[in-house]
Amino acid sequence: MKQFDVEVKVWLKPSVFDPQGHAVQGALVSLGFQEMGEVRIGKFIQMTIAAEDEQAAARQVEDMCQKVLANPVMETYAFDVKERGQ
Amino acid sequence: MKQFDVEVKVWLKPSVFDPQGHAVQGALVSLGFQEMGEVRIGKFIQMTIAAEDEQAAARQVEDMCQKVLANPVMETYAFDVKERGQ
C-alpha cells in the first residue's frame, strides 16, 4: 500500500445563502476593505490515506465525500490526491 | 480597477489538536475506511475583490488574513489570486 496526501475543498452551492460568509464580508468592509464582492466560507480538509494506487485513492476519497465530508444537497466538493514523497 | 477571484485556505498548525478532524476521522473509520491517517479540518474561503493589479490584490488578501480570516497564533494560511477572465 502507498501513502497519499489528500486535500478536499467543500463549499456551499451558489443558491445556498452563507450566513458565515456574509458576516465575514461585513467584518472586512467595516475594517476598511471596501472593494469586496461576496465571501463564501467552506471546509478545507487535509488527510493521509493508504491505497494501492492513485486511482484507488481517488475512488476512496470520492466515497468519503459522498458519505461524510460533504452534503451533496447543499455542497460542492473537489479534491487533490498526491502520493507521498512524489 | 480589475476583478480578482481569491481562494484562501486556513488550517490549524500541526501542534494544535483538532477535535473536529478527530471526530470526522472516527466517523470515517466507523464507516469502514480503515486506512486512515490524521484528518485536519480548516476553512476554505472564496471571494472576489477589486484591485489595481495582482500584487495589490495579494497585499490586500494578506492583510485580510492577518486581521480577520486567520488566527496567526493557531492557524496557517495560503491563498491564490486570479484575475477574473484570465
Side-chain angles (χ1 to χ4, degrees):
Chain A
M1 296 283 253
K2 297 175 184 169
Q3 289 293 313
F4 292 86
D5 290 319
V6 179
E7 286 190 356
V8 182
K9 296 187 270 197
V10 180
W11 64 97
L12 288 168
K13 290 181 177 176
S15 57
V16 180
F17 176 64
D18 178 5
Q20 195 181 1
H22 194 69
V24 167
Q25 184 178 354
L28 287 168
V29 170
S30 67
L31 280 170
F33 297 102
Q34 294 306 334
E35 307 298 335
M36 288 300 311
E38 193 181 15
V39 177
R40 310 281 289 174
I41 298 188
K43 290 175 282 201
F44 173 59
I45 301 162
Q46 300 164 300
M47 58 188 166
T48 52
I49 63 172
E52 289 300 321
D53 54 37
E54 196 160 314
Q55 286 71 28
R59 275 195 307 273
Q60 210 182 129
V61 175
E62 179 72 36
D63 207 18
M64 289 175 182
C65 289
Q66 290 285 333
K67 288 179 180 164
V68 181
L69 303 179
N71 171 346
V73 173
M74 297 173 53
E75 293 175 325
T76 308
Y77 59 85
F79 58 83
D80 283 318
V81 174
K82 274 196 201 93
E83 187 176 341
R84 180 161 283 192
Q86 293 297 313
Chain B
M1 295 284 251
K2 297 174 185 169
Q3 290 291 314
F4 292 87
D5 291 318
V6 180
E7 286 190 356
V8 183
K9 295 186 270 196
V10 180
W11 63 96
L12 289 169
K13 291 181 177 174
S15 57
V16 180
F17 177 64
D18 177 5
Q20 195 182 0
H22 194 70
V24 167
Q25 185 178 354
L28 287 168
V29 170
S30 66
L31 281 170
F33 297 102
Q34 295 305 333
E35 307 298 336
M36 288 299 311
E38 193 181 15
V39 176
R40 311 281 289 174
I41 297 189
K43 289 174 282 199
F44 173 58
I45 301 162
Q46 300 163 302
M47 58 187 165
T48 52
I49 63 173
E52 288 299 322
D53 54 37
E54 196 160 314
Q55 287 70 28
R59 276 195 307 274
Q60 211 182 126
V61 176
E62 180 73 36
D63 207 18
M64 289 175 182
C65 289
Q66 289 286 332
K67 288 180 180 160
V68 180
L69 303 179
N71 171 347
V73 174
M74 295 173 54
E75 293 176 325
T76 307
Y77 60 85
F79 59 83
D80 283 319
V81 174
K82 274 195 202 94
E83 187 176 341
R84 181 161 282 191
Q86 292 296 313

